[in-house]
């Protein structure tokens, strides 16, 4: 079974790898592409417009031979320049609907062969003269403008309203096909909408589960992760859907950076809770410090986002590798997914921060969702099992044999010791009342548990005409705040009377200690002899089911004979949400 499961997870990881590669390839941002099938730009040259004297940037008589070479990505803020370029048209590869695609953060006029083609805002010699326009412009080209041969492209650009902290403000200027551009935008929009819809449904489902079913912190974190991924996807793709001006670009980038920081901080934190890691505060400090460093050191928004994702996936990979060694469910799948995501991020960081993170996070969300659904199934099975055991426990304490013995003992006491009979009835009533009350509680205080146990010991003392007392020893604990799964100590004491003959006139000893969040209980029962009893073990089954329901994984239960004592040890950590619920109920 283990081998087949590992093989299935391995194949699934490979499928994820190829699917992620295909989706990332299909989701390339059109503003990052340079589709130049119809024309190849041979060279770009530039010169500050202030140095042109009385010449026009678009004049055919302008001599550009001594102008320095220029790359579009080298365009700087706070400048006013003239760009000139030549390109050659090939009639065999003309697009059906040719356009000039311009994507840069500046105001400009565009001319082709000295003829006006279009403009973006109004360029000027200062920020006051400049009027901002959209980041991306699509300018249609006519057949006469695309005759075979060499052509000249000229742009007069000003970038005074562009934030100087941006590392890149010039993205591309290229001849492209209008239908290809819009087809790409539509494809990206469809895929993005599908991801947003899937994440939105998951966020709603797990938010409702958290509010109405189980206050598990992983449900809340998962819903928040889905919402953050949705908002980041929308913010990243907003430039394809909205015609916003380039002077608002920094506002969008700031929102993306804040969203990215929250998402990349929450992602590894989720796995700390999902895999129930200890020392969460230590991990959280490490993650916050690591995520803060690139924001403080780096000035580029893109580099900051890339660094945040790299650090987050590195933490996710480390956490899941540690969980995989411990045999945690779905740890292998999330380890493979985070490793692939980290690899793609390192190979193509720009593509990843644009759209790839959506697919990578969606894959992680799928793995997380499957593990949470499996966790829900475990919760359901535990609830059903615990409910069944609770019913069996109450039935066991109310069974006819037990009641018959108590009634016969009561009949004898009424005739011989009326006062003791009254005490006997009182203790039986107290025990049954507390049992019914605790059957609907997850955790009770040690004080209440001990009170229930003493009721039972008094009943047994009268039945066997012996003295039974419970001595409680505390180490770094108190009976009011020390939380115990309801009726587990009572069940163990009842088991001792059923399966053993308790030594006469000796105390039962209960030791309770607390180390951090870990609670330890040791019950020592003096034993005279062992009874050959063929029971169903309902008491022990209830104890294990109860520990499994209300405690974190890793609880321990041992029970064995030791020097004429029957010693039972419990070691457990109560679930924090149950502790908070109990504290709230007590305060009310």
């Amino acid at each position: 079974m283990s081998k087949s499961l590992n093989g299935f997870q391995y194949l699934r990881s490979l499928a994820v790898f190829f699917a992620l590669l295909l989706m990332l390839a299909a989701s390339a941002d059109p503003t990052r592409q340079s589709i130049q099938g119809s024309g190849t730009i041979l060279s770009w040259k530039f010169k500050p417009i202030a140095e042109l004297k009385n010449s026009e940037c678009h004049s055919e008589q302008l001599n550009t031979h001594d102008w320095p070479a220029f790359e579009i990505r080298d365009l700087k803020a706070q400048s006013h320049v003239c760009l000139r370029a030549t390109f050659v048209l090939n009639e065999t590869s003309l697009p059906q609907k040719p356009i000039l695609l311009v994507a840069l953060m500046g105001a400009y006029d565009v001319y082709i062969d000295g003829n006006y083609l279009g403009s973006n805002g109004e360029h000027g010699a200062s920020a006051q003269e400049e009027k901002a326009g959209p980041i991306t412009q699509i300018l249609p080209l006519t057949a006469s403008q695309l005759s075979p041969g060499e052509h000249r492209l000229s742009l007069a650009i000003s970038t005074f309203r562009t934030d100087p902290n941006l590392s890149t403000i010039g993205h591309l200027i290229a001849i492209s096909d209008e239908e290809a551009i819009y087809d790409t935008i539509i494809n990206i929009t469809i895929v993005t909408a599908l991801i947003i819809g899937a994440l939105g449904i998951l966020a709603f489902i797990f938010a409702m589960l958290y509010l109405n079913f189980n206050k598990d912190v992983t449900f809340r974190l998962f819903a928040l992760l889905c919402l953050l991924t949705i908002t980041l996807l929308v913010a990243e793709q907003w430039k394809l859907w909205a015609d916003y001006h380039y002077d608002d670009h920094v506002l969008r980038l700031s929102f993306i950076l804040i969203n990215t920081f929250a998402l990349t901080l929450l992602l590894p934190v989720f796995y700390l809770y999902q895999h129930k890691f200890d020392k969460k505060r230590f991990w959280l400090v490490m993650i916050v410090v690591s995520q803060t460093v690139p924001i403080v050191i780096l000035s580029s928004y893109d580099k900051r986002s890339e660094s945040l994702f790299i650090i987050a996936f590195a933490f996710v990979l480390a956490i899941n590798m540690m969980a995989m060694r411990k045999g945690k469910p779905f740890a292998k799948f999330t380890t493979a997914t985070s490793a692939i995501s980290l690899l793609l991020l390192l190979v193509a960081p720009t593509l990843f921060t644009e759209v790839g993170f959506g697919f990578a996070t969606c894959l992680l969300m799928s793995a997380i969702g499957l593990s949470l659904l499996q966790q829900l199934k475990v919760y359901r099975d535990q609830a059903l099992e615990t409910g069944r055991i609770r019913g069996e426990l109450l039935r066991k304490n109310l069974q006819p044999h037990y009641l018959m013995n108590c009634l016969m003992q009561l009949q004898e006491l009424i005739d011989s010791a009326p006062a003791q009979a009254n005490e006997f009835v009182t203790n039986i009533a107290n025990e049954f009342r507390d049992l019914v009350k605790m059957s609907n509680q997850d955790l009770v205080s040690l004080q209440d548990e001990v009170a229930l146990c003493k009721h039972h010991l008094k009943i047994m003392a009268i039945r066997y005409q012996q003295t039974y007392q419970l001595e409680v020893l505390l180490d770094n604990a108190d009976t009011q705040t020390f939380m115990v799964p309801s009726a587990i100590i009572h069940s163990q004491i009842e088991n001792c009377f059923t399966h053993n003959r308790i030594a006469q006139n000796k105390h039962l000893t209960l030791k309770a200690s607390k180390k951090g969040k870990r609670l330890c209980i040791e019950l020592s029962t003096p034993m005279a002899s062992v009874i050959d009893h063929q029971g169903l073990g309902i008491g022990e089954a209830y104890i294990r089911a109860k520990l499994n329901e209300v405690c974190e994984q890793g609880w321990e239960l041992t029970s064995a004979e030791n020097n004429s004592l029957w010693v039972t040890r419990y070691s457990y950590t109560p679930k924090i949400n149950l502790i908070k619920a109990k504290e709230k109920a007590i305060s009310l």
Side-chain angles (χ1 to χ4, degrees):
M1 180 66 182
S2 177
K3 290 183 178 180
S4 63
L5 181 61
N6 291 338
F8 174 73
Q9 290 178 333
Y10 174 74
L11 292 175
R12 185 169 56 182
S13 299
L14 287 180
V16 168
F17 175 77
F18 288 112
L20 186 57
L21 284 179
L22 290 174
M23 288 188 290
L24 285 175
S27 64
D29 186 347
T31 62
R32 296 284 186 184
Q33 294 178 332
S34 180
I35 307 173
Q36 297 174 346
S38 62
T40 302
I41 295 177
L42 300 179
S43 62
W44 281 102
K45 292 186 175 182
F46 91 103
K47 197 167 189 178
I49 289 180
E51 298 179 11
L52 294 180
K53 298 181 180 179
N54 295 326
S55 301
E56 288 290 336
C57 175
H58 311 294
S59 173
E60 294 183 6
Q61 287 74 35
L62 192 61
N63 186 356
T64 63
H65 292 292
D66 60 342
W67 289 19
F70 184 77
E71 294 288 341
I72 295 300
R73 296 182 68 85
D74 294 333
L75 184 64
K76 302 298 182 184
Q78 308 300 307
S79 62
H80 192 199
V81 298
C82 177
L83 297 185
R84 301 288 289 262
T86 58
F87 62 95
V88 177
L89 290 179
N90 184 349
E91 61 182 1
T92 62
S93 57
L94 291 175
Q96 293 182 352
K97 292 185 177 181
I99 52 106
L100 179 69
L101 179 63
V102 184
L104 54 84
M105 279 171 277
Y108 51 83
D109 291 334
V110 184
Y111 283 68
I112 184 168
D113 295 329
N115 297 314
Y116 176 75
L117 184 60
S119 62
N120 183 52
E122 295 180 8
H123 70 89
S126 65
Q128 289 73 27
E129 296 179 10
E130 180 180 318
K131 183 178 180 180
I135 292 179
T136 304
Q137 278 275 77
I138 295 178
L139 303 172
L141 296 170
T142 64
S144 60
Q145 294 168 332
L146 294 178
S147 59
E150 186 173 298
H151 294 266
R152 184 182 69 255
L153 194 66
S154 58
L155 291 90
I157 306 174
S158 65
T159 58
F160 293 104
R161 299 182 69 87
T162 303
D163 194 303
N165 293 321
L166 294 174
S167 59
T168 303
I169 65 173
H171 298 292
L172 66 89
I173 303 174
I175 304 294
S176 183
D177 184 82
E178 186 176 13
E179 289 186 355
I181 291 294
Y182 285 116
D183 285 346
T184 304
I185 293 175
I186 291 172
N187 290 335
I188 292 176
T189 301
I190 291 173
V191 174
T192 303
L194 290 174
I195 295 176
I196 290 174
L199 292 177
I201 292 172
L202 287 174
F204 177 78
I205 290 174
F206 282 93
M208 291 299 100
L209 288 173
Y210 175 79
L211 293 173
N212 301 310
F213 174 71
N214 192 311
K215 299 296 183 181
D216 193 321
V217 66
T218 56
F219 293 172
R220 180 173 57 183
L221 292 176
F222 179 73
L224 188 56
L225 275 173
C226 291
L227 292 176
L228 286 173
T229 305
I230 290 173
T231 56
L232 189 54
L233 275 171
V234 172
E236 284 288 359
Q237 302 307 321
W238 191 252
K239 61 181 177 293
L240 302 180
W241 306 330
D243 189 25
Y244 71 94
H245 289 188
Y246 62 82
D247 54 352
D248 295 327
H249 189 60
V250 171
L251 180 62
R252 171 178 164 269
L253 291 179
S254 299
F255 176 79
I256 289 175
L257 182 62
I258 294 172
N259 199 320
T260 301
F261 179 80
L263 176 62
T264 55
L265 178 65
L266 197 61
L267 191 59
V269 170
F270 171 86
Y271 284 104
L272 292 177
Y273 282 92
Q274 172 74 0
H275 298 310
K276 304 185 187 306
F277 270 51
D278 295 328
K279 301 179 180 179
K280 292 185 181 66
R281 289 185 180 178
F282 171 76
W283 278 93
L284 185 59
V285 170
M286 287 181 57
I287 295 170
V288 171
V289 171
S290 301
Q291 297 288 65
T292 305
V293 169
I295 294 179
V296 174
I297 294 178
L298 301 176
S299 58
S300 169
Y301 285 94
D302 289 341
K303 293 298 181 184
R304 286 172 174 174
S305 294
E306 292 167 14
S307 300
L308 290 175
F309 274 112
I310 290 173
I311 294 169
F313 279 109
F315 271 110
V316 169
L317 181 60
I319 292 170
N320 279 283
M321 288 180 67
M322 295 173 65
M324 186 173 62
R325 292 179 180 176
K326 297 179 180 180
K328 299 289 186 178
F330 287 91
K332 289 184 178 180
F333 178 54
T334 48
T335 299
T337 306
S338 55
I340 294 170
S341 301
L342 183 59
L343 177 62
L344 291 173
L345 177 56
L346 294 173
V347 172
T350 301
L351 183 61
F352 187 93
T353 54
E354 290 280 350
V355 288
F357 77 91
F359 297 108
T361 309
C362 194
L363 290 171
L364 287 175
M365 295 297 103
S366 300
I368 294 170
L370 289 173
S371 65
L372 291 180
L373 288 174
Q374 186 183 56
Q375 188 174 327
L376 281 174
K377 183 178 181 299
V378 172
Y379 285 155
R380 184 198 65 182
D381 293 342
Q382 288 178 354
L384 291 173
E385 178 65 14
T386 304
R388 185 184 68 82
I389 295 299
R390 283 175 177 173
E392 291 290 339
L393 181 69
L394 289 174
R395 191 182 71 177
K396 186 174 186 295
N397 283 275
L398 296 172
Q399 62 181 309
H401 182 70
Y402 178 74
L403 291 175
M404 181 183 66
N405 288 337
C406 289
L407 289 174
M408 291 180 63
Q409 185 70 39
L410 180 61
Q411 186 179 17
E412 294 180 7
L413 292 173
I414 290 174
D415 295 333
S416 59
Q420 202 173 31
N422 184 58
E423 181 184 358
F424 189 67
V425 171
T426 300
N427 283 301
I428 291 177
N430 290 336
E431 182 185 30
F432 286 167
R433 184 190 62 246
D434 290 350
L435 272 173
V436 172
K437 180 181 177 181
M438 288 187 180
S439 66
N440 295 316
Q441 293 180 318
D442 295 309
L443 294 172
V444 297
S445 68
L446 182 61
Q447 180 178 343
D448 292 340
E449 182 75 12
V450 169
L452 174 64
C453 295
K454 288 183 176 180
H455 292 321
H456 189 74
L457 289 175
K458 289 179 180 179
I459 294 171
M460 293 297 106
I462 296 174
R463 281 187 58 185
Y464 295 110
Q465 294 298 303
Q466 303 293 335
T467 301
Y468 301 117
Q469 292 185 3
L470 179 62
E471 183 180 7
V472 179
L473 304 177
L474 302 176
D475 181 12
N476 193 29
D478 63 82
T479 57
Q480 291 184 338
T481 60
F482 195 100
M483 293 299 165
V484 182
S486 58
I488 64 168
I489 301 176
H490 171 272
S491 298
Q492 187 59 41
I493 290 176
E494 193 276 338
N495 268 359
C496 289
F497 279 99
T498 303
H499 296 275
N500 308 304
R501 195 176 300 279
I502 308 299
Q504 299 179 7
N505 302 322
K506 290 187 178 180
H507 297 323
L508 285 75
T509 304
L510 179 66
K511 298 179 181 179
S513 60
K514 184 177 182 181
K515 296 180 180 179
K517 296 181 181 179
R518 193 77 172 176
L519 306 181
C520 299
I521 298 174
E522 181 180 291
L523 177 65
S524 300
T525 307
M527 187 175 59
S529 62
V530 178
I531 300 174
D532 186 13
H533 184 274
Q534 300 297 323
L536 296 177
I538 293 176
E540 183 177 348
Y542 169 79
I543 293 171
R544 292 185 178 276
K546 195 66 183 179
L547 287 168
N548 201 39
E549 179 191 17
V550 304
C551 300
E552 302 285 359
Q553 293 181 0
W555 56 265
E556 297 177 2
L557 170 62
T558 60
S559 190
E561 183 182 357
N562 183 15
N563 296 328
S564 299
L565 294 175
W566 191 264
V567 180
T568 302
R569 293 185 178 90
Y570 311 86
S571 179
Y572 60 93
T573 303
K575 292 181 179 178
I576 189 168
N577 59 315
L578 296 179
I579 293 178
K580 291 181 178 179
K582 184 65 178 177
E583 291 174 348
K584 183 177 180 180
I586 292 173
S587 64
L588 293 176

